[in-house]
Amino acid sequence: MVVTLGVFVFLLTGAFLGQIVLHNNEAGTFPGLVAGIWAAWPFLHQARIQRYNFLHPVPREYKVPVKQAFAKVRELLADISYNFGDKWHIASADTQSGKITADLRFTDEQIHYDMDQRGQIHTRKERLQRHVGLEITLSDTGRDTTLVYLDFAPKVEGVQFRACDSIVTGVIDSIEMRIGPGIQVGDETDTRLPAPPWWLISLSALALFALLGDIQKAIFS
């Protein structure tokens, strides 16, 4: 959707400047490209922040002592099993620091449909590797409750970058079920737009100078 919007603005602006204003198709390409980036940038920024908030959710406080919460979360990761028997590999579980690191590797099958020269449709299966890294930090609040921090780091083959999202959601929900409902502590990273990045401002300045130069050429040629 975002890419489509950027391409649409690029083509529309490039065509308007190149064909109607300057009567030179090539002259509208660079300004159109910058306009397309401006159109897509706000949505790309918000999508990036939303993705960050999903993979690094706000910590939650649970009414469970930290030792009990640590044992239950570690036990949960050892118990979870997925479609083909894939399980979390717990790399470390340090009770002193309250950190648990684990990773999950599994293979996902996707079916693709191809059409041959005679118009017949064939199916083929493709196996893609998935990996999810997980770091959990459990902190004692001093009130006989526990703060739980979750940090996910998925890596996927192919273009479906959300292929591991169900794993992330499942772990979060399973922790809630295992140690009880928690209370969100803090706020998510704000999705409001910051000041435009310097590289986009620089590109805009270059596009403006190029456009003014092309307008001058069109007037005096």
Side-chain angles (χ1 to χ4, degrees), residues 125-197:
K125 290 183 179 180
E126 183 180 13
R127 292 188 175 184
L128 300 174
Q129 298 296 317
R130 314 296 193 198
H131 173 263
V132 184
L134 171 60
E135 181 176 291
I136 305 175
T137 303
L138 297 95
S139 176
D140 189 356
T141 63
R143 302 186 299 272
D144 216 24
T145 61
T146 303
L147 278 177
V148 178
Y149 301 79
L150 300 173
D151 294 289
F152 295 90
K155 295 180 181 179
V156 300
E157 279 187 332
V159 297
Q160 293 187 2
F161 70 96
R162 296 183 181 273
C164 296
D165 284 9
S166 60
I167 302 293
V168 174
T169 304
V171 169
I172 295 173
D173 293 342
S174 296
I175 290 176
E176 290 275 309
M177 294 177 62
R178 184 64 63 100
I179 62 178
I183 301 173
Q184 181 174 301
V185 179
D187 299 316
E188 294 183 336
T189 302
D190 197 346
T191 57
R192 286 182 298 181
L193 289 178

Side-chain angles (χ1 to χ4, degrees), residues 7-167:
V7 172
F8 174 76
V9 173
F10 161 62
L11 294 175
L12 181 64
T13 306
F16 175 76
L17 293 176
Q19 297 181 12
I20 299 177
V21 177
L22 301 173
H23 303 289
N24 181 354
N25 292 335
E26 294 181 358
T29 301
F30 185 46
L33 176 62
V34 175
I37 295 174
W38 270 108
W41 170 69
F43 301 98
L44 290 173
H45 171 77
Q46 290 186 343
R48 182 177 64 84
I49 298 300
Q50 289 171 357
R51 187 66 180 167
Y52 177 87
N53 288 334
F54 176 72
L55 297 177
H56 309 277
V58 175
R60 300 181 71 85
E61 183 176 353
Y62 296 90
K63 295 181 179 180
V64 179
V66 66
K67 289 185 178 180
Q68 184 179 349
F70 188 94
K72 286 189 174 184
V73 171
R74 191 185 188 287
E75 183 183 62
L76 170 67
L77 291 178
D79 290 343
I80 295 178
S81 179
Y82 298 97
N83 292 338
F84 300 102
D86 301 302
K87 298 178 70 70
W88 286 95
H89 168 68
I90 301 176
S92 65
D94 187 352
T95 55
Q96 292 186 346
S97 64
K99 284 189 177 182
I100 300 174
T101 57
D103 63 275
L104 172 69
R105 298 180 185 275
F106 63 99
T107 302
D108 200 6
E109 284 191 351
Q110 289 186 350
I111 298 177
H112 295 272
Y113 297 91
D114 299 322
M115 182 178 294
D116 60 21
Q117 295 179 348
R118 293 177 295 180
Q120 295 181 342
I121 298 177
H122 302 275
T123 61
R124 61 182 177 88
K125 290 183 179 180
E126 183 180 13
R127 292 188 175 184
L128 300 174
Q129 298 296 317
R130 314 296 193 198
H131 173 263
V132 184
L134 171 60
E135 181 176 291
I136 305 175
T137 303
L138 297 95
S139 176
D140 189 356
T141 63
R143 302 186 299 272
D144 216 24
T145 61
T146 303
L147 278 177
V148 178
Y149 301 79
L150 300 173
D151 294 289
F152 295 90
K155 295 180 181 179
V156 300
E157 279 187 332
V159 297
Q160 293 187 2
F161 70 96
R162 296 183 181 273
C164 296
D165 284 9
S166 60
I167 302 293

